[in-house]
Amino acid sequence: MRIAMFGAPGTGKGTQAEKLVGTFSVPQISTGDLLRAAVAEGSELGRKAKAAMDAGELVADEVVIEMIRERLAQPDAQDGFILDGFPRSIKQAESLDVMLERLEQPLEQVIHLEVEDEEIVQRLLSRGRDDDSEEVIRNRLQVFSNQTQPLINYYEDQGKLVSVDGTGDMQAIYDRIVKALDR
Ligand code: ADP
């Protein structure tokens, strides 16, 4: 299984990716988690990423692409993976395609979780992470629609996009995803 979870911040990509890991025994690869770990470590990469994360902007493409390249080379990613929060720009998607083509392991499907903006803001405000102030949340949504939304067409053109209703009960959403994967 080689898939990516796609959706605005707060659509539940991470939660659903985690549940999929339990069923399909492939690792979840979350750029958000990897970046937060780098920030906590105080590494050079972490220092580069922190300002962008605090402001709700995207971390530079080169930084996250290199991070993903290293992560995908790890032994546990050789039999598949669930990408969570990557790619988030056309540049990232194109680099990923090149990387995976070289390995002859193309991405199979992109699961697009759909949730309305106002519900997203409410969800994120109740989550209360450091970068979840209302102003930063609004900026993340703006960044999503400017830089990440274009990936919908990108993956639609490749015939890989599967849209799933991301509202309602967590288990119901999960069941919809698994059904979408079964097609
Ligand atoms: P969410 O999807 O809920 O916003 P994430 O944990 O996926 O949270 O991401 C947190 C922050 O990390 C983002 O706002 C962004 O600054 C940075 N980030 C995560 N993934 C990427 C990526 N693929 N490209 C650039 N920046 C990223």
Side-chain angles (χ1 to χ4, degrees), residues 3-20:
I3 63 168
M5 302 299 292
F6 179 87
T11 44
K13 303 180 294 283
T15 309
Q16 296 296 338
E18 227 169 88
K19 272 172 86 72
L20 288 166

Side-chain angles (χ1 to χ4, degrees), residues 9 13 31-32 35-36 57 59 85 88 92 127 129 140:
K13 303 180 294 283
T31 39
L35 287 166
R36 276 185 290 278
E57 302 288 335
V59 172
R88 247 169 157 110
Q92 292 178 20
R127 185 169 77 176
R129 208 170 66 195
R140 293 222 302 275

Side-chain angles (χ1 to χ4, degrees), residues 63-105:
V63 172
V64 281
I65 290 166
E66 196 43 43
M67 209 170 65
I68 283 289
R69 190 189 308 283
E70 283 171 24
R71 184 62 187 86
L72 286 175
Q74 299 296 311
D76 68 334
Q78 302 320 301
D79 295 325
F81 47 78
I82 299 165
L83 292 173
D84 160 18
F86 183 93
R88 247 169 157 110
S89 68
I90 294 283
K91 172 93 187 292
Q92 292 178 20
E94 288 171 348
S95 300
L96 179 68
D97 276 347
V98 172
M99 252 182 254
L100 295 178
E101 260 161 42
R102 284 200 188 124
L103 301 168
E104 293 180 7
Q105 300 203 327

